[in-house]
Each structure stands twice: as structure tokens, then as C-alpha cells.
Amino acid sequence: MSDVTPTRTVEFDFTQADLTELVAGCAADPLAAIIHRRIAPGSHVLEAGAGSGKWLKALADQGFAVDGIEINAANVERFRAAWPDIPFIQGDVERMHYGDAAFDAILSLGVVEHLIDGPEGALAEMHRVLRPGGTMILTVPDANASFRLERAKDHVLHRLYGWDTLRRLLGKPPTTYSRNTERQRLDAIGRRRRAGVPVKFSFAPDHGRRFYEYRFTAAQIAGLIGAAGFETIAVERLYHADRLYQIFGRMAGTAGMNRPVSLNPLGRLLLSSLPPNWTDHMILVVARRPDQRHG
């Protein structure tokens, strides 16, 4: 194994039936109301880093003109097989092939945090392809108080998951990754990572720990968006139940890929007791590319 470069691709594993359920679930997502409040009906919307493509289909069904770009070719192929008439291409959000000012609005949902060299390149491209006066809705994970607890949990669990003695006791197959390669990869991440921005790592028994994403404060992401030439209109915090489930798992509730988190009594107690800015999972920023005709 020679991979020491931090990955830029987030893999999703789902079936066609899963994809149909994901699209249906968009209606109940709090993001749906924000989109309809901020983006005019019939607008031409680009989803930059569209993942499964669920929002492309959901918005197309509601009369929006949509385009999507996604770096993961398997996601694009799966979507195209289901809905070949909806434009969805494989490509890089840092180097998009669309023309200048081509879109009325842009969605980028949980994307730029996965870019180890930072979001500046992607934000510059979004600014370029968005028309003056157009709206961008962007989400990133929040580096709030609960993430510090999540990161401590990850640190312990990743070490346990990589301990082959424990894996044998649990009846799990041994790890197959090279500790030396993992160390080289973590060193490479240390050299490239953005100073002052917390990192979340992933772990798998075939490759060990890898860079997964950054976590930003609201001030950090708003500053980066402003530096790219946008005006921030609003900042909201979403998916509190999701963050509690990430930390406490089944102690706090239940979840599945195609359904939202359902909190149990303990989860609901935590949600009602803790400050909202401690428990949200995602920061949502609504921004505008200034209309040059009006300064």
C-alpha cells in the first residue's frame, strides 16, 4: 500500500431504492424550507458537490432548472441510470467547466470541508459561475463544543478498532493496513492541513486513519466566504439530533441512511438541556454575489 495522499473523494454506498427514498426524504428536511425561502421558483440551480444527487431530483420535480457536479463517478453513474434527463456530470468543484455567471443559485452541502488545502478554490469557482445578484447556500460541519467530545470519542475508538487483539476477541477480521503507511499519511496531513481548523479523521481496517473533513466555526466559514467576494445574508444551524446521534449513538436514538434521526427520551433531554449552538451538526450560510450594477 503506497497511498499517503489525503483522499478528496467521499464514497457513498446505496442502491437505486435507497436513492429514491433519499429523494423522498428531502421534503421533510429543514433545508427544503430554506431553499424555497431564498431561491426564486424556476431558478437555474447548480449543486456543486451533489453527492447522491437527491437534491437535484427533488428540485427538478419542483420546477427548478438544475445542474449537478460530483467528483465521485459511481454516484454520478447511479443517478444517471435512474434519471438520465437531469444534467449531472463527474467533475471537480475547484475546476468547473461551466461558463461565467451561468447560474441563478448554487447549493453546496457538506462539500468544501473535505478539501484538505482549504475551500478557497471551490469558493472562487462558485463565485465565478454564479450570476451577480445570485444566491449561494452552503453548509459545513460546526466546530462547536459537541465536536470536541466527538473528536475525543473518535480518538479512543480508532485506536481500539486498530488493535488486532481486541478485534480477535470480538470475532472481527484483523486489520490489513500498514502502520508505516498510516504514519506517513498522517504526517502528510499534518504538513498540508489548515492551521487553526479542527480535523475529523475516518478509520477503516484496510487503510487506518485518513483525513475526512475540517470542522469550521461560523466566523471562520463566513470569513472565507466573504474573502471569496460574497456577502453573507444569514447564518443558521441545522441537524441537532444528528450530532447527538453521532456522539451517543443508540444511547440517544435511532437512525438509518434513508430516515432522519429519531431521538429517544435521553436524546430529547440532551437536546432540550444543552445550548443549541453546542449541539448543531451543520452551519448553513446564505450568501449573495453582489450585483455590480448596484455596488
Side-chain angles (χ1 to χ4, degrees), residues 126-141:
M126 293 179 209
H127 186 274
R128 181 184 66 79
V129 303
L130 183 64
R131 67 165 174 81
T135 297
M136 177 181 72
I137 297 177
L138 179 141
T139 66
V140 293

Side-chain angles (χ1 to χ4, degrees), residues 259-280:
R259 64 180 190 275
V261 173
S262 176
L263 295 177
N264 61 23
L266 174 60
R268 292 193 293 273
L269 176 63
L270 290 168
L271 186 62
S272 63
S273 302
L274 295 171
N277 62 346
W278 284 22
T279 59
D280 65 288

Side-chain angles (χ1 to χ4, degrees), residues 16-137:
Q16 178 57 52
D18 292 330
L19 182 53
T20 301
E21 289 187 37
L22 287 168
V23 173
C26 289
D29 193 306
L31 179 62
I34 296 170
I35 291 172
H36 286 280
R37 191 164 67 245
R38 298 292 185 177
I39 300 176
S43 293
H44 191 184
V45 181
L46 169 68
E47 186 172 7
S52 67
K54 65 178 185 179
W55 284 105
L56 293 176
K57 173 61 174 168
L59 293 177
D61 287 348
Q62 295 164 32
F64 291 90
V66 297
D67 275 82
I69 184 169
E70 164 60 34
I71 199 168
N72 187 305
N75 289 353
V76 175
E77 291 169 7
R78 188 183 294 110
F79 183 94
R80 283 175 167 173
W83 299 296
D85 295 333
I86 297 177
F88 192 17
I89 64 171
Q90 194 274 329
D92 188 339
V93 296
E94 295 181 292
R95 290 176 290 277
M96 295 190 284
H97 299 294
Y98 305 110
D100 295 351
F103 298 98
D104 301 313
I106 292 177
L107 299 180
S108 188
L109 309 174
V111 176
V112 300
E113 68 269 19
H114 296 292
L115 305 174
I116 186 144
D117 295 317
E120 287 89 347
L123 289 172
E125 275 291 86
M126 293 179 209
H127 186 274
R128 181 184 66 79
V129 303
L130 183 64
R131 67 165 174 81
T135 297
M136 177 181 72
I137 297 177

